[in-house]
Amino acid sequence: MGITTRICLFTFFLNFYSYCEAQIVYSNSAVIHVNNGAIVHCNGGMKLDNSTILTNNGDLTVTKNSTLPEIGNFHFLSNSQISGNGAYRIEQDWINDATFTGGNSTVFLYGNTQQFISSNNGTTTNFNHLTLSGNGTGLNRRKTLQDVDATTSASGILNLNDRELNTNTNSFIVQNSTTNAITHNNTFGNEGFVSSLTPGFLHRNTNTTSSYLFPVGSSDGTLRYRPVTIRPDNNSLNEYAVRFNNYTANSDSYFLTQKENEIEEANSLFYHSVEQFNGTSNGTVRIHYLPSSDGSWSGLANWSNTQNLWQNTGETNSDAITNYSFVEKAAWSINSKYHPYLLINVGDELIIPNVFTPNGDGVNDVYFVSSKGLTEFNITIVNRWGNVVFESNDAQSGWDGSSNGIKCNDGTYFYILNAKSQSKEYKKHGHITLNGQ
């Protein structure tokens, strides 16, 4: 039979192993010390009330193997103070209505049913390290913020493993500005991720020019893991926030039909929100997608809140990493842009001139193929004897009329151009007249 153990107005020093079978430990104004090396196992729940002081430098486990109320919960309230550098292993809910000082501690939320990080009075928990684990599936994979924000410390690590940290409409803030401050299982199809609903976000602090991963996704509807990376342009302190919206942008009145004419196609499955809360550094924004289910995309659009339409961000890079592809926009002023971002394809265009005049007058001095919406590009230019004078895989690169630093003679040259867009493949050849007089 389950019972409740009450601890009132005493000081306890726990140095070894303590086990409470099928019990709720209820502390009323007690002072409890769990010393280094000590193990405390409560097989029911813990409720620390009326200015209880708990200093945990050992290993404190709260399981839910009973039928009592609040089974598996770790609940502290009424001016209680929880501190220390030990481990907290909680099988059900973390309920913070008082003061938690994380120190060098680690909180493990390891239950196989949905767990909640909550508060009845709006107290934000500032974890040091937070580690998520368990075997639950579906909703029981989630560790959920319930009407409250939460953080990890400036030296702490958020370890998602293969779980879903569901912030709901709240935000989780990773204050540690090192790139490895978030770790997760990246096995394809079993990734750990953070999900949010408007206006919630996953926040990260940055202070390097390295890439910072935002492992965002959602299990609402179709399960999707669609991460974002941000690479700041300088080492100043910045705070970025990312949310994955697992539904069409139309649902939030960012209508896909309201777009620049050059945007030929817009992703109707999902969109992302990216904001900069602190700092002014520009950065490279990379958004990942899964071609096998999401389609293929070559560009990125940002919603203009002044013009009420989707605008092409301009030239972007695209590539693939294992199962995922990505589109990225470099040197992007995130801080001055409104948050919605969308995968797009732009209408392709190819304009191939047949004459140029590299005479240094600043007009038509470079032979340049104008293009838009291309995913692959290669041009080779040869002279009348078939010798290559210019070759490039960069659609933004042009020929200045020289070969190996030596100015080419006036006359006729020949090009071979191979290119692809999302919808077309180009194989072109023809002649070019060089007139440098």
Side-chain angles (χ1 to χ4, degrees):
M1 176 183 295
I3 60 174
T4 298
T5 297
R6 294 183 179 271
I7 304 172
C8 304
L9 298 175
F10 288 104
T11 299
F12 284 83
F13 292 90
L14 302 175
N15 296 292
F16 302 106
Y17 182 82
S18 176
Y19 180 76
C20 303
E21 182 175 358
Q23 293 185 348
I24 292 177
V25 173
Y26 178 79
S27 169
N28 187 359
S29 304
V31 177
I32 305 171
H33 292 269
V34 181
N35 290 335
N36 187 26
I39 298 174
V40 176
H41 190 139
C42 177
N43 200 1
M46 290 192 75
K47 189 171 185 178
L48 309 180
D49 204 352
N50 292 330
S51 300
T52 291
I53 297 176
L54 168 64
T55 304
N56 175 27
N57 290 312
D59 195 307
L60 174 62
T61 298
V62 180
T63 66
K64 53 184 293 186
N65 292 333
S66 80
T67 58
L68 297 172
E70 296 195 78
I71 55 171
N73 291 351
F74 185 65
H75 186 185
F76 46 103
L77 65 163
S78 301
N79 298 314
S80 294
Q81 299 179 45
I82 315 301
S83 63
N85 301 320
Y88 302 82
R89 304 179 193 277
I90 312 301
E91 192 172 6
Q92 195 51 58
D93 296 347
W94 174 278
I95 309 169
N96 177 3
D97 295 330
T99 301
F100 175 72
T101 303
N104 291 319
S105 67
T106 301
V107 173
F108 298 87
L109 300 181
Y110 72 94
N112 296 327
T113 57
Q114 185 177 13
Q115 294 181 262
F116 293 93
I117 299 168
S118 67
S119 173
N120 296 307
N121 59 13
T123 300
T124 296
T125 296
N126 299 306
F127 297 100
N128 179 45
H129 304 308
L130 176 62
T131 296
L132 313 182
S133 62
N135 296 319
T137 59
L139 288 178
N140 290 327
R141 189 186 185 195
R142 288 181 171 179
K143 320 296 180 178
T144 300
L145 302 186
Q146 190 172 46
D147 301 322
V148 69
D149 295 337
T151 74
T152 46
S153 73
S155 60
I157 302 296
L158 170 62
N159 183 1
L160 299 168
N161 286 308
D162 63 351
R163 302 290 89 186
E164 175 184 353
L165 175 58
N166 174 228
T167 77
N168 272 323
T169 57
N170 311 293
S171 290
F172 195 98
I173 303 170
V174 177
Q175 299 184 78
N176 187 346
S177 55
T178 61
T179 57
N180 63 352
I182 299 179
T183 62
H184 75 132
N185 180 4
N186 62 1
T187 303
F188 177 65
N190 202 33
E191 297 93 348
F193 59 83
V194 178
S195 62
S196 302
L197 299 175
T198 306
F201 278 106
L202 169 62
H203 293 244
R204 293 200 68 170
N205 286 346
T206 72
N207 64 358
T208 75
T209 57
S210 300
S211 291
Y212 288 80
L213 173 68
F214 292 76
V216 292
S218 174
S219 62
D220 291 328
T222 301
L223 176 65
R224 291 187 174 100
Y225 171 67
R226 302 295 183 267
V228 171
T229 61
I230 297 177
R231 187 173 70 249
D233 286 354
N234 61 53
N235 294 329
S236 62
L237 182 63
N238 296 278
E239 180 185 347
Y240 300 100
V242 175
R243 177 176 66 248
F244 172 65
N245 305 292
N246 197 17
Y247 50 84
T248 176
N250 288 336
S251 298
D252 290 334
S253 298
Y254 305 123
F255 296 111
L256 303 181
T257 56
Q258 296 175 201
K259 56 185 174 62
E260 292 180 319
N261 290 334
E262 66 183 56
I263 298 177
E264 190 172 73
E265 184 182 12
N267 179 23
S268 62
L269 299 177
F270 57 82
Y271 73 101
H272 286 77
S273 294
V274 180
E275 288 199 38
Q276 190 165 1
F277 279 74
N278 290 297
T280 59
S281 174
N282 293 344
T284 297
V285 179
R286 175 182 289 184
I287 293 179
H288 293 76
Y289 65 94
L290 188 61
S292 60
S293 61
D294 302 340
S296 295
W297 307 96
S298 60
L300 197 62
N302 175 237
W303 180 264
S304 169
N305 206 31
T306 55
Q307 299 186 46
N308 290 319
L309 55 73
W310 291 102
Q311 292 183 321
N312 183 11
T313 62
E315 289 297 329
T316 55
N317 298 318
S318 59
D319 208 336
I321 299 177
T322 61
N323 296 286
Y324 291 93
S325 295
F326 66 81
V327 176
E328 69 175 17
K329 173 63 179 176
W332 186 242
S333 54
I334 306 169
N335 62 302
S336 66
K337 304 298 182 182
Y338 196 52
H339 66 83
Y341 289 83
L342 188 69
L343 298 169
I344 60 168
N345 289 319
V346 297
D348 52 288
E349 180 180 82
L350 199 62
I351 300 175
I352 307 172
N354 59 12
V355 64
F356 79 120
T357 58
N359 55 14
D361 65 356
V363 179
N364 199 24
D365 281 334
V366 177
Y367 182 80
F368 184 77
V369 175
S370 298
S371 64
K372 185 171 63 177
L374 299 183
T375 58
E376 295 182 19
F377 178 90
N378 176 267
I379 187 169
T380 302
I381 299 175
V382 301
N383 59 23
R384 66 180 62 192
W385 297 281
N387 299 319
V388 175
V389 296
F390 177 78
E391 185 173 17
S392 178
N393 292 318
D394 183 1
Q396 304 305 307
S397 178
W399 179 37
D400 64 0
S402 67
S403 177
N404 296 319
I406 300 173
K407 184 178 179 180
C408 294
N409 295 326
D410 290 356
T412 301
Y413 294 79
F414 304 90
Y415 70 84
I416 301 170
L417 189 147
N418 295 297
K420 288 183 180 180
S421 68
Q422 292 294 339
S423 58
K424 296 180 183 178
E425 182 173 356
Y426 298 92
K427 293 183 179 295
K428 302 282 187 178
H429 60 86
H431 70 274
I432 306 165
T433 300
L434 186 158
N435 184 0
Q437 300 301 317

